[in-house]
Amino acid sequence: MAIRALVWGENIHERTSAVVKKLYPDGMHNTIAAALREDAGIEADTATLQDPEHGLPEARVAQTDVLLWWGHRAHGDVDDAIVERVQNRVWEGMGLIVLHSGHFSKIFKRLMGTPCSLKWREAGERERIWVINRSHPIAQGLGERIEVPATEMYGEPFTVPEPMETVFITWYEGGEVFRSGMTWQRGAGRIFYFSPGHETYPIYHHAEIGQVLRNAVRWAHNPAPAWEGIAEAPNAPADTAPEKIEVRGERLHLDGEAGFR
Amino acid sequence: MAIRALVWGENIHERTSAVVKKLYPDGMHNTIAAALREDAGIEADTATLQDPEHGLPEARVAQTDVLLWWGHRAHGDVDDAIVERVQNRVWEGMGLIVLHSGHFSKIFKRLMGTPCSLKWREAGERERIWVINRSHPIAQGLGERIEVPATEMYGEPFTVPEPMETVFITWYEGGEVFRSGMTWQRGAGRIFYFSPGHETYPIYHHAEIGQVLRNAVRWAHNPAPAWEGIAEAPNAPADTAPEKIEVRGERLHLDGEAGFR
Amino acid sequence: MAIRALVWGENIHERTSAVVKKLYPDGMHNTIAAALREDAGIEADTATLQDPEHGLPEARVAQTDVLLWWGHRAHGDVDDAIVERVQNRVWEGMGLIVLHSGHFSKIFKRLMGTPCSLKWREAGERERIWVINRSHPIAQGLGERIEVPATEMYGEPFTVPEPMETVFITWYEGGEVFRSGMTWQRGAGRIFYFSPGHETYPIYHHAEIGQVLRNAVRWAHNPAPAWEGIAEAPNAPADTAPEKIEVRGERLHLDGEAGFR
Amino acid sequence: MAIRALVWGENIHERTSAVVKKLYPDGMHNTIAAALREDAGIEADTATLQDPEHGLPEARVAQTDVLLWWGHRAHGDVDDAIVERVQNRVWEGMGLIVLHSGHFSKIFKRLMGTPCSLKWREAGERERIWVINRSHPIAQGLGERIEVPATEMYGEPFTVPEPMETVFITWYEGGEVFRSGMTWQRGAGRIFYFSPGHETYPIYHHAEIGQVLRNAVRWAHNPAPAWEGIAEAPNAPADTAPEKIEVRGERLHLDGEAGFR
């Protein structure tokens, strides 16, 4: 069964900036989705900020295996209730791939628990993405590095938690470095951040960038059944304890009563 | 110079439950602060939910090296602005020690990015806390284990991110286990979660529990200067790049312009 | 294509102890291999200490996707050259599943870089293996826990490096706990340690233990091409640098010369 | 009480290469020890490969809090018994700081369990060491980066296990990147690898490099009592179990008998 990927795009600069429109006439989300469809095992759909419920109604999120997120100008316009919905679904097992300026999206900051800040410069400089672990699933089909001729610089310190794995580190012409590909887990969900993708350059048309995204979708997909109720803290009555115990001492709660939140 | 610890207590059950009042007539926060003061290198103060700004005004948080957090019934009553203030201060370098039912506090969930849920049973059963790494700073002065005669069971799965270190694992009479002491880092701040501490048992009067808390304060203290501005993403104009570069290609932003958030 | 698993058994107690022989008349390695074969996607073969080159000649190791290791009495008899061969193949990408008393095997200690010591008691007590992350690939098809009616106790501290993931934690009737399932990565190889499996109890006949082993084989399998030459440190002559540089200053080595080891 | 640091130097190139001799007439180990002594809280001594037992007799290693290791040409000449001694002492709690070409030392490879390989080029190019976490103890007193005017390039992939923390990442003039400062723990011992330090450049005369080394000694120092016996696996007789249990079933071992290794 195909992996159900959903590409979420903010879809603003593509309509307001002539530069971006020329590079991505159908929107970046559609270019990314097209890159994903080069893998026959991935079914890719799109959603945008402007759609009702930002294109992320409950039922659709529930049917998504891996969500890709590109946002920049309008992080603050994303509805908190929808951010919570997406976060809960990541906890249940949906993969999440956060792209470029998505480092400052509500959903990424909430899942990381850190500022997710960095340093930036828009000078069309050269970027060289080094593959740190060539046997990682996300690095399959790549050489030792990817060369991006013109990029926005994103520089360290990148204030995220220590990752589970560092997959890529970037060298910039202007002298900075950046951990450009990292992984984390939150609940049952796998998360990958990938920094290349500034909207004024044709980065998502780059074949190797597409390869990374396809690999990342496969990596982030958790085929386990959704972990429903992962956010609940159930009471376990004493008579259901694996070992026989006698209730002693003082209590605040009655058997089976809900805890405080 | 002494470490400035601040013990935050929800301070509700101590006033509304006869059982808890009897165990902690001055409130659990004061019992915990007294335990900390047994270390002459720690200055311990207290704050409660009922104080103005929950006892956590900006200036006081800025002067705190390590914050200890005990809450249970009223997690939802903690003001979001104050949670954000505390989170920002943790990022800057303040240590945070989250106690027992604080697993469901807003501040802990925000810093972890996960549900922080668990399973629970209030049966006064026996708990045995095993020291996993006896050379860890938080385990100094302890034996191979701590015996707690009556406790609330907190059982796995405990849905937190994989920790930096697992310091303690608990065995329960009723048959469950729990990772009762774990560490993480978020920004410049060190975080320790410690599960024992149910309000209907005299756990914070236990000498070895006090030892753990004192150790944890010392461990969580980061003497580095506060990392001010850690949440900002500064633009680095091209003419300040470490390597000389020529600006090329299209841009969205002017030099020195603020980025989007 | 099927995953090529190889079950390595020390194969001593099965021949010298009447108790073990009765439980595992064909050797534990054959019981384990039979459990793996219940998954049609796994091809399982066996090797033992007594075979030439311990059943691990170069060509066979090169053709193995995942190696399972059960040893106890004769860790010291395993040839160092073969340990190095296996270690190198793990670095290249072969998965390794270390079982029970294999915690003290040469190969596990070498890959961990720690003592891998623990505390033990042989009293036929009850073990309850709690699933810490039910959405982990290794936990698929299990309930919230596995009950083992009679086991050898392996107690903390278990002196291994902090794992990538803690998948299982065990509760023992006698009062101890143990991190009974953990993962690590070394080079391109994934490693899983699983503690149940004492030879005087029928643990490898237990259906859920078989399920864990099959899951672990699938998890440990890295389909990426072998990372050949991973242990080499190649010289990168200056004229092949990605950026044009001029050689300056003093040198120890000539272009393309091998480094010291 | 001062931290007892011991700087181990291979001490070969300083005597055989005119270039190195000129930069380090007293040997690199003495230059490094002098840099450490700028911190009054550190007592620094030296040892070399040529000393009896390489300057690392049992009693001296036992009295060392933090060992610094610089080797290159003669890794293979270091006696295995002494490597084991050092490894055991790290497990007990001694800090270890591995410098530059020490990435291929026996002691580092043993503690990591990986090849520790990398790519290299000796062209006197520029290196810029970025501070990834400015609040880390090892980064105190530094600015956002260290500039090294001439260095040997060490490039990724650097085949070490995922670190506990990445403290520094290096940018090279020739286009590569490197995780130049990383931390790990093994047993009770803290380990820091720091890549700058090629012998044909005056890197250990650089003030900021000295600052890093002093910081690293303080960070790596574990004041806990040595974890003696950490490599032993003691039997815990059934009558000493924390919970009363009745011995059942078949056994291989008698009470208190030593296990197999």
Side-chain angles (χ1 to χ4, degrees), chain A residues 91 113 117 120 122-123 173-174 199 230 233 236 243 248 252-253, chain B residues 91 113 117 120 122-123 174 199 230 233 236 243 248 252-253:
Chain A
W91 292 344
S117 57
W120 58 281
E122 205 185 357
E173 190 184 348
E199 59 268 43
I230 185 174
E243 301 289 319
R248 293 191 293 268
L252 272 183
H253 297 277
Chain B
W91 293 343
S117 57
W120 58 281
E122 206 185 357
E199 59 267 44
I230 185 173
E243 302 288 319
R248 293 192 294 268
L252 272 184
H253 297 276

PDB file of all heavy atoms in Angstrom, chain A residues 91 113 117 120 122-123 173-174 199 230 233 236 243 248 252-253, chain B residues 91 113 117 120 122-123 174 199 230 233 236 243 248 252-253:
ATOM      1  N   TRP A  91       2.233  12.533  17.367  1.00  0.00           N
ATOM      2  CA  TRP A  91       2.398  11.654  18.534  1.00  0.00           C
ATOM      3  C   TRP A  91       1.838  10.251  18.261  1.00  0.00           C
ATOM      4  O   TRP A  91       2.404   9.258  18.693  1.00  0.00           O
ATOM      5  CB  TRP A  91       1.678  12.253  19.749  1.00  0.00           C
ATOM      6  CG  TRP A  91       2.285  13.509  20.262  1.00  0.00           C
ATOM      7  CD1 TRP A  91       3.530  14.013  20.002  1.00  0.00           C
ATOM      8  CD2 TRP A  91       1.665  14.448  21.149  1.00  0.00           C
ATOM      9  NE1 TRP A  91       3.714  15.196  20.677  1.00  0.00           N
ATOM     10  CE2 TRP A  91       2.585  15.486  21.387  1.00  0.00           C
ATOM     11  CE3 TRP A  91       0.412  14.517  21.783  1.00  0.00           C
ATOM     12  CZ2 TRP A  91       2.309  16.568  22.219  1.00  0.00           C
ATOM     13  CZ3 TRP A  91       0.128  15.594  22.612  1.00  0.00           C
ATOM     14  CH2 TRP A  91       1.066  16.607  22.823  1.00  0.00           C
ATOM     15  N   GLY A 113      10.243  21.967  21.513  1.00  0.00           N
ATOM     16  CA  GLY A 113      10.344  22.533  22.858  1.00  0.00           C
ATOM     17  C   GLY A 113      11.486  23.526  23.005  1.00  0.00           C
ATOM     18  O   GLY A 113      11.888  23.854  24.122  1.00  0.00           O
ATOM     19  N   SER A 117      15.679  28.829  16.634  1.00  0.00           N
ATOM     20  CA  SER A 117      16.216  30.013  15.976  1.00  0.00           C
ATOM     21  C   SER A 117      17.520  29.679  15.264  1.00  0.00           C
ATOM     22  O   SER A 117      18.130  28.634  15.504  1.00  0.00           O
ATOM     23  CB  SER A 117      16.441  31.112  17.015  1.00  0.00           C
ATOM     24  OG  SER A 117      17.297  30.652  18.047  1.00  0.00           O
ATOM     25  N   TRP A 120      20.589  34.059   9.504  1.00  0.00           N
ATOM     26  CA  TRP A 120      20.311  33.908   8.067  1.00  0.00           C
ATOM     27  C   TRP A 120      20.868  35.060   7.243  1.00  0.00           C
ATOM     28  O   TRP A 120      21.081  36.153   7.739  1.00  0.00           O
ATOM     29  CB  TRP A 120      18.809  33.759   7.831  1.00  0.00           C
ATOM     30  CG  TRP A 120      17.991  34.902   8.346  1.00  0.00           C
ATOM     31  CD1 TRP A 120      17.625  35.124   9.639  1.00  0.00           C
ATOM     32  CD2 TRP A 120      17.485  36.005   7.600  1.00  0.00           C
ATOM     33  NE1 TRP A 120      16.909  36.276   9.740  1.00  0.00           N
ATOM     34  CE2 TRP A 120      16.795  36.847   8.499  1.00  0.00           C
ATOM     35  CE3 TRP A 120      17.529  36.355   6.247  1.00  0.00           C
ATOM     36  CZ2 TRP A 120      16.167  38.019   8.108  1.00  0.00           C
ATOM     37  CZ3 TRP A 120      16.894  37.528   5.842  1.00  0.00           C
ATOM     38  CH2 TRP A 120      16.218  38.348   6.780  1.00  0.00           C
ATOM     39  N   GLU A 122      20.618  36.313   2.901  1.00  0.00           N
ATOM     40  CA  GLU A 122      20.033  36.043   1.579  1.00  0.00           C
ATOM     41  C   GLU A 122      20.960  36.641   0.533  1.00  0.00           C
ATOM     42  O   GLU A 122      20.816  37.808   0.174  1.00  0.00           O
ATOM     43  CB  GLU A 122      18.652  36.707   1.537  1.00  0.00           C
ATOM     44  CG  GLU A 122      17.676  36.080   0.569  1.00  0.00           C
ATOM     45  CD  GLU A 122      16.382  36.895   0.512  1.00  0.00           C
ATOM     46  OE1 GLU A 122      16.250  37.881   1.252  1.00  0.00           O
ATOM     47  OE2 GLU A 122      15.514  36.525  -0.292  1.00  0.00           O
ATOM     48  N   ALA A 123      21.934  35.853   0.080  1.00  0.00           N
ATOM     49  CA  ALA A 123      22.925  36.417  -0.832  1.00  0.00           C
ATOM     50  C   ALA A 123      23.196  35.521  -2.030  1.00  0.00           C
ATOM     51  O   ALA A 123      24.166  35.722  -2.763  1.00  0.00           O
ATOM     52  CB  ALA A 123      24.225  36.695  -0.077  1.00  0.00           C
ATOM     53  N   GLU A 173      29.462  29.193   1.284  1.00  0.00           N
ATOM     54  CA  GLU A 173      30.484  30.041   0.659  1.00  0.00           C
ATOM     55  C   GLU A 173      30.887  31.199   1.577  1.00  0.00           C
ATOM     56  O   GLU A 173      32.056  31.568   1.656  1.00  0.00           O
ATOM     57  CB  GLU A 173      29.895  30.594  -0.649  1.00  0.00           C
ATOM     58  CG  GLU A 173      30.872  31.288  -1.541  1.00  0.00           C
ATOM     59  CD  GLU A 173      30.152  31.875  -2.769  1.00  0.00           C
ATOM     60  OE1 GLU A 173      28.965  31.544  -3.008  1.00  0.00           O
ATOM     61  OE2 GLU A 173      30.784  32.670  -3.490  1.00  0.00           O
ATOM     62  N   GLY A 174      29.919  31.755   2.292  1.00  0.00           N
ATOM     63  CA  GLY A 174      30.197  32.908   3.141  1.00  0.00           C
ATOM     64  C   GLY A 174      30.883  32.576   4.456  1.00  0.00           C
ATOM     65  O   GLY A 174      31.200  33.469   5.233  1.00  0.00           O
ATOM     66  N   GLU A 199      12.650  30.212  -1.222  1.00  0.00           N
ATOM     67  CA  GLU A 199      11.670  30.352  -2.306  1.00  0.00           C
ATOM     68  C   GLU A 199      12.154  31.147  -3.514  1.00  0.00           C
ATOM     69  O   GLU A 199      11.538  31.065  -4.575  1.00  0.00           O
ATOM     70  CB  GLU A 199      10.374  30.956  -1.751  1.00  0.00           C
ATOM     71  CG  GLU A 199      10.512  32.313  -1.087  1.00  0.00           C
ATOM     72  CD  GLU A 199      10.745  32.217   0.417  1.00  0.00           C
ATOM     73  OE1 GLU A 199      11.551  31.346   0.844  1.00  0.00           O
ATOM     74  OE2 GLU A 199      10.138  32.997   1.164  1.00  0.00           O
ATOM     75  N   ILE A 230      -2.728   8.352  23.118  1.00  0.00           N
ATOM     76  CA  ILE A 230      -1.365   8.498  23.650  1.00  0.00           C
ATOM     77  C   ILE A 230      -1.256   9.652  24.642  1.00  0.00           C
ATOM     78  O   ILE A 230      -0.390   9.644  25.521  1.00  0.00           O
ATOM     79  CB  ILE A 230      -0.327   8.663  22.508  1.00  0.00           C
ATOM     80  CG1 ILE A 230       1.097   8.685  23.070  1.00  0.00           C
ATOM     81  CG2 ILE A 230      -0.596   9.892  21.671  1.00  0.00           C
ATOM     82  CD1 ILE A 230       2.202   8.691  22.047  1.00  0.00           C
ATOM     83  N   ALA A 233      -3.861   9.786  30.424  1.00  0.00           N
ATOM     84  CA  ALA A 233      -3.165   9.175  31.564  1.00  0.00           C
ATOM     85  C   ALA A 233      -4.175   8.341  32.339  1.00  0.00           C
ATOM     86  O   ALA A 233      -4.804   8.810  33.274  1.00  0.00           O
ATOM     87  CB  ALA A 233      -2.549  10.255  32.445  1.00  0.00           C
ATOM     88  N   ALA A 236      -5.197   3.051  36.730  1.00  0.00           N
ATOM     89  CA  ALA A 236      -5.126   1.588  36.716  1.00  0.00           C
ATOM     90  C   ALA A 236      -5.593   1.102  38.086  1.00  0.00           C
ATOM     91  O   ALA A 236      -4.811   1.099  39.025  1.00  0.00           O
ATOM     92  CB  ALA A 236      -3.700   1.150  36.434  1.00  0.00           C
ATOM     93  N   GLU A 243       0.510  -7.634  39.785  1.00  0.00           N
ATOM     94  CA  GLU A 243       0.783  -8.362  41.030  1.00  0.00           C
ATOM     95  C   GLU A 243      -0.309  -7.999  42.028  1.00  0.00           C
ATOM     96  O   GLU A 243      -0.703  -6.836  42.121  1.00  0.00           O
ATOM     97  CB  GLU A 243       2.146  -7.947  41.603  1.00  0.00           C
ATOM     98  CG  GLU A 243       3.320  -8.196  40.692  1.00  0.00           C
ATOM     99  CD  GLU A 243       3.658  -9.670  40.539  1.00  0.00           C
ATOM    100  OE1 GLU A 243       3.622 -10.403  41.548  1.00  0.00           O
ATOM    101  OE2 GLU A 243       3.953 -10.097  39.391  1.00  0.00           O
ATOM    102  N   ARG A 248      -3.337   0.460  50.590  1.00  0.00           N
ATOM    103  CA  ARG A 248      -2.936   0.973  51.911  1.00  0.00           C
ATOM    104  C   ARG A 248      -2.927   2.494  51.865  1.00  0.00           C
ATOM    105  O   ARG A 248      -2.743   3.079  50.806  1.00  0.00           O
ATOM    106  CB  ARG A 248      -1.494   0.560  52.230  1.00  0.00           C
ATOM    107  CG  ARG A 248      -1.230  -0.863  52.442  1.00  0.00           C
ATOM    108  CD  ARG A 248       0.181  -1.059  53.026  1.00  0.00           C
ATOM    109  NE  ARG A 248       1.265  -0.701  52.115  1.00  0.00           N
ATOM    110  CZ  ARG A 248       1.863  -1.549  51.285  1.00  0.00           C
ATOM    111  NH1 ARG A 248       1.470  -2.817  51.223  1.00  0.00           N
ATOM    112  NH2 ARG A 248       2.837  -1.141  50.514  1.00  0.00           N
ATOM    113  N   LEU A 252      -6.183  10.393  47.245  1.00  0.00           N
ATOM    114  CA  LEU A 252      -6.909  11.564  46.750  1.00  0.00           C
ATOM    115  C   LEU A 252      -8.054  11.145  45.841  1.00  0.00           C
ATOM    116  O   LEU A 252      -9.079  11.785  45.780  1.00  0.00           O
ATOM    117  CB  LEU A 252      -5.981  12.468  45.925  1.00  0.00           C
ATOM    118  CG  LEU A 252      -5.168  13.536  46.628  1.00  0.00           C
ATOM    119  CD1 LEU A 252      -4.400  14.331  45.593  1.00  0.00           C
ATOM    120  CD2 LEU A 252      -6.046  14.476  47.453  1.00  0.00           C
ATOM    121  N   HIS A 253      -7.870  10.079  45.123  1.00  0.00           N
ATOM    122  CA  HIS A 253      -8.797   9.692  44.061  1.00  0.00           C
ATOM    123  C   HIS A 253      -9.545   8.404  44.385  1.00  0.00           C
ATOM    124  O   HIS A 253      -9.024   7.529  45.073  1.00  0.00           O
ATOM    125  CB  HIS A 253      -8.027   9.463  42.753  1.00  0.00           C
ATOM    126  CG  HIS A 253      -7.347  10.682  42.237  1.00  0.00           C
ATOM    127  ND1 HIS A 253      -7.977  11.627  41.489  1.00  0.00           N
ATOM    128  CD2 HIS A 253      -6.072  11.109  42.384  1.00  0.00           C
ATOM    129  CE1 HIS A 253      -7.114  12.592  41.170  1.00  0.00           C
ATOM    130  NE2 HIS A 253      -5.951  12.299  41.709  1.00  0.00           N
TER     131      HIS A 253
ATOM    132  N   TRP B  91      15.432  28.229  28.348  1.00  0.00           N
ATOM    133  CA  TRP B  91      16.264  28.304  27.135  1.00  0.00           C
ATOM    134  C   TRP B  91      17.526  29.126  27.387  1.00  0.00           C
ATOM    135  O   TRP B  91      18.602  28.810  26.885  1.00  0.00           O
ATOM    136  CB  TRP B  91      15.472  28.931  25.984  1.00  0.00           C
ATOM    137  CG  TRP B  91      14.345  28.103  25.498  1.00  0.00           C
ATOM    138  CD1 TRP B  91      14.131  26.776  25.720  1.00  0.00           C
ATOM    139  CD2 TRP B  91      13.252  28.552  24.686  1.00  0.00           C
ATOM    140  NE1 TRP B  91      12.971  26.368  25.092  1.00  0.00           N
ATOM    141  CE2 TRP B  91      12.419  27.442  24.448  1.00  0.00           C
ATOM    142  CE3 TRP B  91      12.894  29.782  24.135  1.00  0.00           C
ATOM    143  CZ2 TRP B  91      11.258  27.520  23.679  1.00  0.00           C
ATOM    144  CZ3 TRP B  91      11.741  29.868  23.361  1.00  0.00           C
ATOM    145  CH2 TRP B  91      10.937  28.752  23.138  1.00  0.00           C
ATOM    146  N   GLY B 113       7.642  18.618  24.200  1.00  0.00           N
ATOM    147  CA  GLY B 113       7.041  18.460  22.874  1.00  0.00           C
ATOM    148  C   GLY B 113       6.314  17.143  22.699  1.00  0.00           C
ATOM    149  O   GLY B 113       6.014  16.731  21.579  1.00  0.00           O
ATOM    150  N   SER B 117       2.320  11.660  29.061  1.00  0.00           N
ATOM    151  CA  SER B 117       1.312  10.860  29.747  1.00  0.00           C
ATOM    152  C   SER B 117       1.942   9.629  30.368  1.00  0.00           C
ATOM    153  O   SER B 117       3.083   9.257  30.060  1.00  0.00           O
ATOM    154  CB  SER B 117       0.227  10.450  28.749  1.00  0.00           C
ATOM    155  OG  SER B 117       0.802   9.750  27.658  1.00  0.00           O
ATOM    156  N   TRP B 120      -1.401   5.467  36.141  1.00  0.00           N
ATOM    157  CA  TRP B 120      -1.241   5.711  37.576  1.00  0.00           C
ATOM    158  C   TRP B 120      -2.203   4.893  38.426  1.00  0.00           C
ATOM    159  O   TRP B 120      -3.254   4.466  37.975  1.00  0.00           O
ATOM    160  CB  TRP B 120      -1.395   7.202  37.880  1.00  0.00           C
ATOM    161  CG  TRP B 120      -2.709   7.779  37.456  1.00  0.00           C
ATOM    162  CD1 TRP B 120      -3.065   8.145  36.191  1.00  0.00           C
ATOM    163  CD2 TRP B 120      -3.839   8.024  38.290  1.00  0.00           C
ATOM    164  NE1 TRP B 120      -4.348   8.615  36.184  1.00  0.00           N
ATOM    165  CE2 TRP B 120      -4.843   8.558  37.451  1.00  0.00           C
ATOM    166  CE3 TRP B 120      -4.094   7.859  39.651  1.00  0.00           C
ATOM    167  CZ2 TRP B 120      -6.104   8.917  37.939  1.00  0.00           C
ATOM    168  CZ3 TRP B 120      -5.345   8.219  40.133  1.00  0.00           C
ATOM    169  CH2 TRP B 120      -6.334   8.743  39.285  1.00  0.00           C
ATOM    170  N   GLU B 122      -3.242   4.700  42.812  1.00  0.00           N
ATOM    171  CA  GLU B 122      -3.028   5.276  44.139  1.00  0.00           C
ATOM    172  C   GLU B 122      -3.366   4.199  45.167  1.00  0.00           C
ATOM    173  O   GLU B 122      -4.523   4.063  45.584  1.00  0.00           O
ATOM    174  CB  GLU B 122      -3.975   6.471  44.291  1.00  0.00           C
ATOM    175  CG  GLU B 122      -3.522   7.522  45.261  1.00  0.00           C
ATOM    176  CD  GLU B 122      -4.574   8.611  45.442  1.00  0.00           C
ATOM    177  OE1 GLU B 122      -5.628   8.556  44.764  1.00  0.00           O
ATOM    178  OE2 GLU B 122      -4.347   9.497  46.284  1.00  0.00           O
ATOM    179  N   ALA B 123      -2.386   3.387  45.537  1.00  0.00           N
ATOM    180  CA  ALA B 123      -2.684   2.255  46.420  1.00  0.00           C
ATOM    181  C   ALA B 123      -1.682   2.126  47.562  1.00  0.00           C
ATOM    182  O   ALA B 123      -1.644   1.111  48.244  1.00  0.00           O
ATOM    183  CB  ALA B 123      -2.725   0.962  45.598  1.00  0.00           C
ATOM    184  N   GLY B 174       3.140  -3.472  42.746  1.00  0.00           N
ATOM    185  CA  GLY B 174       2.027  -3.953  41.920  1.00  0.00           C
ATOM    186  C   GLY B 174       2.437  -4.491  40.561  1.00  0.00           C
ATOM    187  O   GLY B 174       1.587  -4.982  39.821  1.00  0.00           O
ATOM    188  N   GLU B 199       1.298  13.562  47.078  1.00  0.00           N
ATOM    189  CA  GLU B 199       1.011  14.448  48.207  1.00  0.00           C
ATOM    190  C   GLU B 199       0.404  13.754  49.416  1.00  0.00           C
ATOM    191  O   GLU B 199       0.400  14.334  50.510  1.00  0.00           O
ATOM    192  CB  GLU B 199       0.122  15.612  47.744  1.00  0.00           C
ATOM    193  CG  GLU B 199      -1.220  15.208  47.149  1.00  0.00           C
ATOM    194  CD  GLU B 199      -1.159  15.067  45.627  1.00  0.00           C
ATOM    195  OE1 GLU B 199      -0.178  14.467  45.115  1.00  0.00           O
ATOM    196  OE2 GLU B 199      -2.096  15.518  44.951  1.00  0.00           O
ATOM    197  N   ILE B 230      18.198  34.193  22.691  1.00  0.00           N
ATOM    198  CA  ILE B 230      18.296  32.852  22.090  1.00  0.00           C
ATOM    199  C   ILE B 230      17.134  32.559  21.145  1.00  0.00           C
ATOM    200  O   ILE B 230      17.273  31.746  20.233  1.00  0.00           O
ATOM    201  CB  ILE B 230      18.417  31.752  23.179  1.00  0.00           C
ATOM    202  CG1 ILE B 230      18.643  30.391  22.527  1.00  0.00           C
ATOM    203  CG2 ILE B 230      17.219  31.734  24.091  1.00  0.00           C
ATOM    204  CD1 ILE B 230      18.945  29.277  23.496  1.00  0.00           C
ATOM    205  N   ALA B 233      16.167  35.317  15.523  1.00  0.00           N
ATOM    206  CA  ALA B 233      16.846  34.826  14.312  1.00  0.00           C
ATOM    207  C   ALA B 233      17.418  36.010  13.569  1.00  0.00           C
ATOM    208  O   ALA B 233      16.781  36.557  12.680  1.00  0.00           O
ATOM    209  CB  ALA B 233      15.866  34.046  13.440  1.00  0.00           C
ATOM    210  N   ALA B 236      22.146  38.289   9.006  1.00  0.00           N
ATOM    211  CA  ALA B 236      23.586  38.532   8.952  1.00  0.00           C
ATOM    212  C   ALA B 236      23.890  39.141   7.589  1.00  0.00           C
ATOM    213  O   ALA B 236      24.010  38.407   6.601  1.00  0.00           O
ATOM    214  CB  ALA B 236      24.332  37.215   9.138  1.00  0.00           C
ATOM    215  N   GLU B 243      33.588  35.068   5.202  1.00  0.00           N
ATOM    216  CA  GLU B 243      34.287  35.014   3.919  1.00  0.00           C
ATOM    217  C   GLU B 243      33.657  36.048   3.003  1.00  0.00           C
ATOM    218  O   GLU B 243      32.440  36.207   2.994  1.00  0.00           O
ATOM    219  CB  GLU B 243      34.150  33.627   3.281  1.00  0.00           C
ATOM    220  CG  GLU B 243      34.676  32.493   4.124  1.00  0.00           C
ATOM    221  CD  GLU B 243      36.195  32.473   4.206  1.00  0.00           C
ATOM    222  OE1 GLU B 243      36.845  32.706   3.177  1.00  0.00           O
ATOM    223  OE2 GLU B 243      36.719  32.219   5.320  1.00  0.00           O
ATOM    224  N   ARG B 248      24.327  37.589  -5.053  1.00  0.00           N
ATOM    225  CA  ARG B 248      23.842  37.148  -6.361  1.00  0.00           C
ATOM    226  C   ARG B 248      22.351  36.829  -6.259  1.00  0.00           C
ATOM    227  O   ARG B 248      21.860  36.494  -5.181  1.00  0.00           O
ATOM    228  CB  ARG B 248      24.517  35.832  -6.774  1.00  0.00           C
ATOM    229  CG  ARG B 248      25.963  35.887  -7.050  1.00  0.00           C
ATOM    230  CD  ARG B 248      26.434  34.589  -7.722  1.00  0.00           C
ATOM    231  NE  ARG B 248      26.342  33.412  -6.859  1.00  0.00           N
ATOM    232  CZ  ARG B 248      27.335  32.974  -6.093  1.00  0.00           C
ATOM    233  NH1 ARG B 248      28.491  33.596  -6.065  1.00  0.00           N
ATOM    234  NH2 ARG B 248      27.179  31.900  -5.349  1.00  0.00           N
ATOM    235  N   LEU B 252      14.198  38.158  -1.159  1.00  0.00           N
ATOM    236  CA  LEU B 252      12.928  38.601  -0.577  1.00  0.00           C
ATOM    237  C   LEU B 252      13.138  39.778   0.361  1.00  0.00           C
ATOM    238  O   LEU B 252      12.313  40.647   0.495  1.00  0.00           O
ATOM    239  CB  LEU B 252      12.302  37.471   0.258  1.00  0.00           C
ATOM    240  CG  LEU B 252      11.388  36.470  -0.423  1.00  0.00           C
ATOM    241  CD1 LEU B 252      10.839  35.537   0.626  1.00  0.00           C
ATOM    242  CD2 LEU B 252      10.244  37.159  -1.168  1.00  0.00           C
ATOM    243  N   HIS B 253      14.279  39.768   1.054  1.00  0.00           N
ATOM    244  CA  HIS B 253      14.507  40.725   2.134  1.00  0.00           C
ATOM    245  C   HIS B 253      15.588  41.734   1.783  1.00  0.00           C
ATOM    246  O   HIS B 253      16.506  41.439   1.029  1.00  0.00           O
ATOM    247  CB  HIS B 253      14.963  39.981   3.391  1.00  0.00           C
ATOM    248  CG  HIS B 253      13.950  39.046   3.919  1.00  0.00           C
ATOM    249  ND1 HIS B 253      12.941  39.447   4.753  1.00  0.00           N
ATOM    250  CD2 HIS B 253      13.780  37.716   3.724  1.00  0.00           C
ATOM    251  CE1 HIS B 253      12.200  38.392   5.059  1.00  0.00           C
ATOM    252  NE2 HIS B 253      12.682  37.334   4.450  1.00  0.00           N
TER     253      HIS B 253
END
